[in-house]
Amino acid sequence: MNKIFRLTVLAAGILAGVACTACKKSPAATATKAGMYFGVAIQPGDILDENKAKLIVQNFNAIVPENTMKMINIRPTKTLWNFSDMDKMVDFAQKNKMMVRGHTFIWHQQNSTIVNQIRNREDAFALIGENINQIMTRYRGKIACYDVANEIFNEDGTFRKSIWYKWCGTDLYEEAFRMARAADSDAKLFLNDYSHEEAGTPKAEAFYEFVKSMVEKGVPIDGVGFQLHLCTDYGINEERLRENIRRFADLGLEVQFTEIDIRMKMPGSEADVAIQKEMYETLMRILKDEPNVNTYMTWGYTDATSWVPATFHGYGDAHLFDKDLKAKPVFGSLVELMKNK
Ligand code: XIL
């Protein structure tokens, strides 16, 4: 090889390395080729760290801000809007051709202290309306879908007695979807929850009935989010999960897997690791079979910075990458499943 040729090859290699965000064979490209979204919840620091940013871009084609768009962060006081982290995430996604989910407008947690000033139902409507308008107009065309409301049910199927429910009953939930549709008519609008994924539980039934009533009333809802924070102790009832997904399809609605993680009791045994792998794969197979499921978002990518151990004491190892950012075997099998989609 002569010197010029060698230098050319070297330069091409470096360029390919730099521009490797969309390497044809990357898992992200595989997901895109399969016509699906394979995504991850991220924190602002993830895209500032070169290694982590690279890992995210190569392996996923969608992101969701884990905390950045929640009221406490994006609007800490009535007059202070803190868009900088969200802007950076959206720019990152645009640059790397990733889909963005917006999460979330109505929730009972991580609200800012502005909610303490709510005195009546009109105040609650106004506050949520301002948040929806500000955020959705700013990111119009850049954020594809939003969790308009999150976790509004209790396990027993009653409505959660949140500050929103206290002032507005269910009216605000429905009105928020209308306000969101008006703010960005192209964004898809979702109602998101956990432990309602398998048909037959009080929560799953109440959630389904409420969504059905929204559809019947013409409330502009496009789909429902299944968080899927799962545990190897309980497994998945695949039949009940599919049954639930199909009844939403019958309503004309999409189902997105919005926050997947599968924890195990620590230290995890080999059996737990095998069950976890099987569970992650089952969800991907369901996505492949069910026409109204196309989005597989994981809630964080590494056990190093997971929300799981702090929330479920004694549990962990829930994610697709280990503490050293190394992909677990389950990750490879998910990519293989995507290839055959
Ligand atoms: C969690 C985040 O992962 C944590 O970092 C934060 O401290 C609390 O919220 N359901 C949801 C998410 O809809 O917003 C939650 O995220 C996890 C459960």
Side-chain angles (χ1 to χ4, degrees):
M1 231 196 292
N2 70 44
K3 200 172 165 194
I4 292 178
F5 183 66
R6 247 187 304 160
L7 281 176
T8 313
V9 171
L10 183 69
I14 290 169
L15 276 178
V18 170
C20 191
T21 51
C23 286
K24 281 206 182 92
K25 285 187 180 146
S26 70
T30 302
T32 302
K33 197 164 159 225
M36 65 164 287
Y37 293 113
F38 184 52
V40 62
I42 63 168
Q43 309 260 14
D46 290 327
I47 55 177
L48 301 175
D49 176 314
E50 207 180 315
N51 281 337
K52 290 179 174 173
K54 204 166 147 198
L55 182 152
I56 290 163
V57 167
Q58 287 187 348
N59 292 297
F60 300 97
N61 66 350
I63 57 166
V64 53
E66 185 167 345
N67 292 302
T68 306
M69 214 199 86
K70 293 171 181 170
M71 200 195 306
I72 197 170
N73 291 321
I74 206 157
R75 194 182 183 186
T77 71
K78 188 150 178 58
T79 50
L80 181 64
W81 290 91
N82 174 14
F83 286 119
S84 68
D85 284 337
M86 197 61 211
D87 284 354
K88 283 186 201 127
M89 282 190 190
V90 170
D91 286 349
F92 173 79
Q94 290 255 294
K95 199 170 114 229
N96 295 298
K97 300 190 172 54
M98 303 168 103
M99 183 273 267
V100 185
R101 296 195 87 250
H103 173 85
T104 176
F105 293 124
I106 298 181
W107 198 27
H108 60 286
Q109 284 183 36
Q110 291 179 283
N111 287 311
S112 54
T113 51
I114 320 172
V115 298
N116 300 334
Q117 291 151 29
I118 297 175
R119 293 285 171 266
N120 52 43
R121 147 191 179 99
E122 285 66 39
D123 290 347
F125 272 75
L127 174 55
I128 292 296
E130 285 161 13
N131 293 355
I132 288 176
N133 277 327
Q134 286 285 336
I135 295 169
M136 291 186 73
T137 51
R138 187 179 186 92
Y139 300 116
R140 201 179 278 153
K142 297 178 178 170
I143 295 188
C145 50
Y146 288 87
D147 292 327
V148 175
N150 192 34
E151 303 180 351
I152 62 173
F153 286 97
N154 293 314
E155 302 297 290
D156 64 3
T158 56
F159 283 100
R160 188 189 290 280
K161 306 296 175 284
S162 68
I163 179 156
W164 312 113
Y165 188 78
K166 181 181 145 199
W167 289 113
C168 311
T170 58
D171 292 352
L172 177 63
Y173 304 149
E174 299 182 352
E175 188 55 21
F177 278 82
R178 297 191 192 95
M179 295 191 284
R181 182 65 96 228
D184 178 359
S185 59
D186 290 331
K188 286 191 187 170
L189 308 178
F190 285 76
L191 183 67
N192 193 45
D193 216 319
Y194 67 93
S195 291
H196 67 114
E197 296 95 345
E198 295 172 0
T201 65
K203 189 170 183 177
E205 297 312 295
F207 183 97
Y208 169 75
E209 289 302 329
F210 182 62
V211 169
K212 183 160 168 272
S213 76
M214 287 171 83
V215 171
E216 283 165 359
K217 279 190 228 170
V219 176
I221 178 169
D222 298 292
V224 295
F226 286 14
Q227 292 185 6
L228 294 160
H229 297 292
L230 303 177
C231 179
T232 57
D233 290 352
Y234 310 113
I236 297 177
N237 185 330
E238 184 173 344
E239 208 178 305
R240 291 298 191 142
L241 181 52
R242 285 187 190 264
E243 185 187 329
N244 208 13
I245 289 169
R246 287 177 189 161
R247 64 181 174 174
F248 286 112
D250 292 342
L251 293 178
L253 297 181
E254 185 182 337
V255 173
Q256 293 194 345
F257 295 164
T258 52
E259 306 186 12
I260 306 170
D261 50 45
I262 305 178
R263 63 188 179 275
M264 60 185 74
K265 198 163 182 51
M266 298 303 292
S269 65
E270 263 178 45
D272 281 318
V273 173
I275 294 168
Q276 181 194 52
K277 182 164 176 285
E278 172 63 33
M279 288 170 73
Y280 268 115
E281 289 168 3
T282 299
L283 295 177
M284 187 60 85
R285 278 192 282 102
I286 291 174
L287 176 146
K288 287 171 63 169
D289 299 342
E290 304 295 337
N292 61 328
V293 187
N294 203 30
T295 299
Y296 190 109
M297 307 291 292
T298 52
W299 203 247
Y301 53 97
T302 165
D303 296 331
T305 54
S306 170
W307 77 296
V308 168
T311 311
F312 305 96
H313 298 288
Y315 286 80
D317 278 6
H319 303 281
L320 296 174
F321 291 78
D322 68 15
K323 288 203 162 85
D324 301 319
L325 303 187
K326 199 166 149 260
K328 298 179 186 175
V330 55
F331 185 81
S333 40
L334 291 183
V335 176
E336 282 310 306
L337 283 169
M338 286 193 273
K339 278 187 190 157
N340 310 317
K341 185 172 146 60

